Amino acid sequence: MSGTTGPNADLGDAEESTIRDCEECVAPAEAFSVIANETRLSILEALWKAPERPVSFSKLRREVGMADSAQFNYHLKQLTDQFVVGTDEGYDFRSAGKKVVRAILAGSFNENPEMGPFEVDGTCADCGAGLQAFYEDDMLTVECTDCAKRHGRYPFPPGGLNDRTREEVMDAFNQRVRHLHCLAADGVCPECNGRMTTTITRDEADYLGLEVRVDHECEQCRHSLYSAVGLSLLDQSDVVTFHRDHGVDLCTKPYWDLAWCVSDQHTTVLSADPWQILVEIPLDEEVLSVTLDGDLNVLELERTCESASEGSRAVSD
């Protein structure tokens, strides 16, 4: 937890303070025991549904439907300071209270739906067959219907399935995966906001069927993400412009339908010490060649016609 400032830490001492320095912090077991009560969860839900906040004591009690004022006051006090805050005007959320309600709405703790398999747009990067998706254990997976190559498997809270068609679910999944990797590449864990480190490694375990892969791992909670090198280029400005010039909106294009994002057939290791990796993105009759270093920084960009690119590779071979 080194480097994580506690909620009561002086910003000037940020380098020396950690969340463990918080004298008023509540132990995790105690925090969970506070909300493990139907009445208290009902209070948080009523506060969430309120059109305006703060909400007065009497109005909040009416919304929860509890006649005994003393009993209601007891439960409300258990939530106060950690999950809700009392003001002269009434009661409002603290950040932790909102997180509890959002976790319930997401269905992460109390729902376990399954869906699929069903067909999705796109073709397999390895064999060209169709793709399918299925949902189980809070994970959404995209894979080939023929060779079973996995094109992605990521956490997707059950609440993301609500009131969405399958097409809308896949659109949301596409944007979520981009967001997860964008945060990770920026050094922020999408699960706990801890420090995320990025390394390029040989995929010796053949986890993704790649020669090399990008590993993101959180130093705090150990959450990890793995991908092909090309996936890191989805929001790179030159790559986005290159696709726009060819009439493709890369921001909405399903990442699993881009071979350079899910395979290494367009990836060449130029050097392993230090890392220099070439990703060649073909589109129509043109190729965008992007050279990256071990930190996924762009070292070089070049746009060429595809025939010229193939010729240069033949010469080098």
Side-chain angles (χ1 to χ4, degrees), residues 32-46 64 66 72 75 79 104:
F32 281 108
S33 68
V34 168
I35 58 174
N37 178 281
E38 185 175 354
T39 298
R40 295 168 198 170
L41 289 177
S42 296
I43 292 173
L44 293 177
E45 183 181 5
V64 173
M66 180 171 286
F72 179 79
H75 288 294
L79 294 170
I104 294 172

Tab-separated table of all heavy atoms in Angstrom, residues 32-46 64 66 72 75 79 104:
chain	number	residue	atom	x	y	z
A	32	PHE	N	-18.326	-4.358	7.017
A	32	PHE	CA	-19.281	-5.275	6.383
A	32	PHE	C	-20.377	-5.702	7.362
A	32	PHE	O	-21.522	-5.923	6.964
A	32	PHE	CB	-18.557	-6.506	5.828
A	32	PHE	CG	-17.879	-6.267	4.511
A	32	PHE	CD1	-16.501	-6.184	4.421
A	32	PHE	CD2	-18.634	-6.099	3.350
A	32	PHE	CE1	-15.875	-5.957	3.204
A	32	PHE	CE2	-18.020	-5.872	2.135
A	32	PHE	CZ	-16.630	-5.794	2.051
A	33	SER	N	-20.041	-5.815	8.625
A	33	SER	CA	-21.058	-6.202	9.605
A	33	SER	C	-22.112	-5.108	9.761
A	33	SER	O	-23.286	-5.390	10.036
A	33	SER	CB	-20.403	-6.497	10.962
A	33	SER	OG	-19.888	-5.315	11.548
A	34	VAL	N	-21.703	-3.844	9.568
A	34	VAL	CA	-22.647	-2.732	9.687
A	34	VAL	C	-23.731	-2.815	8.628
A	34	VAL	O	-24.919	-2.577	8.896
A	34	VAL	CB	-21.897	-1.383	9.586
A	34	VAL	CG1	-22.895	-0.233	9.422
A	34	VAL	CG2	-21.056	-1.159	10.830
A	35	ILE	N	-23.356	-3.152	7.407
A	35	ILE	CA	-24.344	-3.168	6.317
A	35	ILE	C	-25.004	-4.528	6.138
A	35	ILE	O	-25.868	-4.688	5.266
A	35	ILE	CB	-23.697	-2.723	4.981
A	35	ILE	CG1	-22.529	-3.635	4.623
A	35	ILE	CG2	-23.277	-1.268	5.062
A	35	ILE	CD1	-21.935	-3.342	3.259
A	36	ALA	N	-24.604	-5.512	6.949
A	36	ALA	CA	-25.224	-6.834	6.848
A	36	ALA	C	-26.530	-6.865	7.624
A	36	ALA	O	-26.741	-7.682	8.524
A	36	ALA	CB	-24.264	-7.906	7.369
A	37	ASN	N	-27.407	-5.943	7.282
A	37	ASN	CA	-28.684	-5.794	7.975
A	37	ASN	C	-29.705	-5.250	6.988
A	37	ASN	O	-29.455	-4.266	6.296
A	37	ASN	CB	-28.510	-4.851	9.171
A	37	ASN	CG	-29.785	-4.597	9.915
A	37	ASN	OD1	-30.611	-3.792	9.490
A	37	ASN	ND2	-29.968	-5.286	11.052
A	38	GLU	N	-30.849	-5.897	6.928
A	38	GLU	CA	-31.860	-5.526	5.936
A	38	GLU	C	-32.342	-4.093	6.113
A	38	GLU	O	-32.536	-3.358	5.128
A	38	GLU	CB	-33.038	-6.499	6.016
A	38	GLU	CG	-34.086	-6.267	4.941
A	38	GLU	CD	-35.185	-7.314	4.972
A	38	GLU	OE1	-35.063	-8.277	5.754
A	38	GLU	OE2	-36.163	-7.165	4.201
A	39	THR	N	-32.556	-3.659	7.360
A	39	THR	CA	-33.035	-2.297	7.600
A	39	THR	C	-32.025	-1.266	7.131
A	39	THR	O	-32.376	-0.259	6.516
A	39	THR	CB	-33.330	-2.090	9.101
A	39	THR	OG1	-34.372	-2.986	9.503
A	39	THR	CG2	-33.764	-0.659	9.372
A	40	ARG	N	-30.763	-1.503	7.423
A	40	ARG	CA	-29.731	-0.532	7.025
A	40	ARG	C	-29.564	-0.469	5.507
A	40	ARG	O	-29.352	0.603	4.952
A	40	ARG	CB	-28.407	-0.884	7.713
A	40	ARG	CG	-28.512	-0.738	9.222
A	40	ARG	CD	-27.335	-1.360	9.944
A	40	ARG	NE	-27.677	-1.579	11.357
A	40	ARG	CZ	-26.929	-2.282	12.187
A	40	ARG	NH1	-25.800	-2.840	11.775
A	40	ARG	NH2	-27.313	-2.431	13.447
A	41	LEU	N	-29.692	-1.605	4.858
A	41	LEU	CA	-29.658	-1.592	3.396
A	41	LEU	C	-30.878	-0.860	2.840
A	41	LEU	O	-30.784	-0.157	1.830
A	41	LEU	CB	-29.605	-3.023	2.853
A	41	LEU	CG	-28.280	-3.771	3.054
A	41	LEU	CD1	-28.391	-5.190	2.532
A	41	LEU	CD2	-27.131	-3.045	2.361
A	42	SER	N	-32.014	-0.999	3.531
A	42	SER	CA	-33.218	-0.277	3.102
A	42	SER	C	-33.036	1.229	3.254
A	42	SER	O	-33.531	2.009	2.437
A	42	SER	CB	-34.428	-0.744	3.924
A	42	SER	OG	-34.713	-2.106	3.687
A	43	ILE	N	-32.320	1.640	4.288
A	43	ILE	CA	-32.047	3.070	4.476
A	43	ILE	C	-31.188	3.595	3.340
A	43	ILE	O	-31.466	4.664	2.768
A	43	ILE	CB	-31.353	3.308	5.831
A	43	ILE	CG1	-32.312	3.006	6.985
A	43	ILE	CG2	-30.843	4.749	5.928
A	43	ILE	CD1	-31.658	3.050	8.359
A	44	LEU	N	-30.159	2.847	2.981
A	44	LEU	CA	-29.286	3.261	1.881
A	44	LEU	C	-30.064	3.302	0.563
A	44	LEU	O	-29.892	4.213	-0.253
A	44	LEU	CB	-28.101	2.306	1.759
A	44	LEU	CG	-27.095	2.319	2.916
A	44	LEU	CD1	-26.007	1.270	2.683
A	44	LEU	CD2	-26.475	3.698	3.091
A	45	GLU	N	-30.936	2.325	0.370
A	45	GLU	CA	-31.740	2.291	-0.859
A	45	GLU	C	-32.699	3.480	-0.913
A	45	GLU	O	-32.864	4.113	-1.962
A	45	GLU	CB	-32.526	0.979	-0.925
A	45	GLU	CG	-33.343	0.839	-2.207
A	45	GLU	CD	-34.128	-0.464	-2.250
A	45	GLU	OE1	-34.110	-1.207	-1.243
A	45	GLU	OE2	-34.757	-0.733	-3.290
A	46	ALA	N	-33.329	3.812	0.221
A	46	ALA	CA	-34.250	4.948	0.265
A	46	ALA	C	-33.509	6.252	0.012
A	46	ALA	O	-34.012	7.150	-0.676
A	46	ALA	CB	-34.951	4.987	1.620
A	64	VAL	N	-38.566	4.184	4.454
A	64	VAL	CA	-38.163	2.835	4.859
A	64	VAL	C	-39.355	2.061	5.400
A	64	VAL	O	-39.416	0.831	5.308
A	64	VAL	CB	-37.030	2.916	5.916
A	64	VAL	CG1	-36.714	1.535	6.491
A	64	VAL	CG2	-35.778	3.521	5.287
A	66	MET	N	-40.607	2.219	8.676
A	66	MET	CA	-40.411	1.755	10.045
A	66	MET	C	-41.142	2.691	11.003
A	66	MET	O	-40.869	3.892	11.054
A	66	MET	CB	-38.923	1.694	10.391
A	66	MET	CG	-38.644	1.217	11.816
A	66	MET	SD	-36.881	0.917	12.116
A	66	MET	CE	-36.669	-0.609	11.192
A	72	PHE	N	-35.408	2.922	14.385
A	72	PHE	CA	-34.889	3.474	13.134
A	72	PHE	C	-33.654	4.329	13.403
A	72	PHE	O	-32.654	4.251	12.668
A	72	PHE	CB	-35.968	4.307	12.440
A	72	PHE	CG	-35.503	4.928	11.151
A	72	PHE	CD1	-35.431	4.173	9.993
A	72	PHE	CD2	-35.116	6.265	11.103
A	72	PHE	CE1	-34.987	4.735	8.804
A	72	PHE	CE2	-34.672	6.834	9.925
A	72	PHE	CZ	-34.610	6.070	8.771
A	75	HIS	N	-30.488	2.201	13.881
A	75	HIS	CA	-29.893	1.683	12.646
A	75	HIS	C	-29.241	2.805	11.827
A	75	HIS	O	-28.180	2.611	11.227
A	75	HIS	CB	-30.959	0.976	11.799
A	75	HIS	CG	-31.395	-0.336	12.366
A	75	HIS	ND1	-30.552	-1.419	12.459
A	75	HIS	CD2	-32.598	-0.743	12.880
A	75	HIS	CE1	-31.196	-2.443	12.984
A	75	HIS	NE2	-32.449	-2.051	13.263
A	79	LEU	N	-24.984	3.573	10.542
A	79	LEU	CA	-24.508	3.914	9.203
A	79	LEU	C	-23.777	5.252	9.171
A	79	LEU	O	-22.945	5.495	8.282
A	79	LEU	CB	-25.683	3.977	8.219
A	79	LEU	CG	-26.413	2.662	7.920
A	79	LEU	CD1	-27.683	2.954	7.122
A	79	LEU	CD2	-25.506	1.712	7.142
A	104	ILE	N	-24.764	-3.322	-5.215
A	104	ILE	CA	-26.027	-4.071	-5.215
A	104	ILE	C	-26.702	-3.960	-6.574
A	104	ILE	O	-27.189	-4.948	-7.144
A	104	ILE	CB	-26.966	-3.560	-4.105
A	104	ILE	CG1	-26.360	-3.867	-2.728
A	104	ILE	CG2	-28.353	-4.191	-4.231
A	104	ILE	CD1	-27.111	-3.236	-1.576
